[in-house]
Amino acid sequence: MTQQGLKEHSHGYEVPVQTRSQRFASTDVSKFDKPSNRELVWKNTPLDRLAALFGDLDGSTYDYTFNAPEGVTAAWVARTDKAVGSSQTLPEDYVSAAAWSGFGQALSITIPAGAELADPVFVTRDQLGVAPRAAHTVITAKPHSKAIVVLENQGDASLAENVEIVVEAEADLTVITLQEWNDTAVHDAEHFITIGRSGHLRHVVVNLGGAVVRVNPSARFDGPGANVELDGIYFADAHQHLEQQVYVDHNESNCVSRVTYKGALQGEGARTVWIGDVLIRADAENTDTYELNRNLLLTDGARADSVPNLEIETGEIIGAGHASATGRFDDEQLFYFESRGISEDEAKRMVVRGFLIEVIQRIGYAPLEERLEQAVEAELLQTEV
């Protein structure tokens, strides 16, 4: 087996892989060793709490709710269907490979060519149960289409899954994945994204519920002139682990990427991990990229890890940068609110609300923005900040 994060050295022994582009990838779980905190991909993950996903996984179909405008289709398809693997990206870790090896049929959602949807597509899962499960979803936006797809996750879960998102030429797609799991849920998801020539994708991760949740999007381009925006918000409570490992592979010329993730944490043992990797390959001239992560610590005992990485193989770029910051609630700001008759709890809620909702307001569909703002508000109201 090949341990993820290692490669063979010329002297015959293995040395750690230093860059994201060199990682081993396969759809066959037998090619990977069981996860270890010695591996870079699992370094910050509480593997003991994820252990249920290291054994046998139920790959059968499950119940879901599908609401969509006319013309959009959702159907279970065989592993051999041409949609499966259309993202042209392979798993890079054990759990993702286990999900790929273990699913029986994939849920394929297709936006027809030329369609411009006035209302979003909603896919809701709320009855997955507690048994460890593998799942595979493919979302395809055909050429010149425009749509919003919302993946809502609720209830109990012990889920390992891969989500393929394929934006074909000149399509414009927004995908929002909303995690409002029960407190004991475990969810590990890899989102494999491919954007075609002059296509655009906005991908929004909203992580609120669950015990351990990892949603890791990786994006690559399948033609020049494409644009990807990877956004995320997360709110971690006591003993909750929320993790996001983001990757943008600039493998085509004249493409743009923007990564913006913002998180708030409170309570003993609240933990978030954000790792952002951007690779600009030698052929990706005129690339324009920037990644940003901001974390707000509301109480003692919370921890946020933030690691931006940038790898550049050509000097012919428009711009490339990254920024990361983690800080505590500003006491001077709190004093300002209290001097105007606003309580400490309400002042903190106002600050957190404004801090996180900035990302939501870029979605571009007011009813959905309001729905997500309400989800954040509910998180704030049910906890003491």
Side-chain angles (χ1 to χ4, degrees), residues 119-120 122 364-374:
D119 297 310
F122 287 92
Y365 182 77
L368 183 56
E369 291 174 2
E370 182 179 352
R371 157 77 176 87
L372 295 178
E373 288 176 10
Q374 290 174 351

Side-chain angles (χ1 to χ4, degrees), residues 206-284:
V206 182
N207 284 340
L208 300 177
V212 178
V213 176
R214 301 173 81 246
V215 180
N216 303 328
S218 60
R220 63 180 299 278
F221 301 96
D222 195 27
N227 183 313
V228 64
E229 299 174 75
L230 303 178
D231 292 343
I233 64 170
Y234 45 95
F235 195 123
D237 293 318
H239 307 295
Q240 188 176 26
H241 181 96
L242 304 179
E243 185 170 337
Q244 296 96 169
Q245 297 191 30
V246 184
Y247 180 38
V248 182
D249 183 351
H250 276 275
N251 58 316
E252 293 278 356
S253 62
N254 298 292
C255 292
V256 177
S257 67
R258 293 290 184 270
V259 178
T260 305
Y261 272 67
K262 302 181 79 171
L265 302 84
Q266 65 170 0
E268 187 67 32
R271 176 80 182 276
T272 65
V273 177
W274 180 89
I275 299 173
D277 289 302
V278 175
L279 166 64
I280 304 175
R281 296 184 184 268
D283 294 335

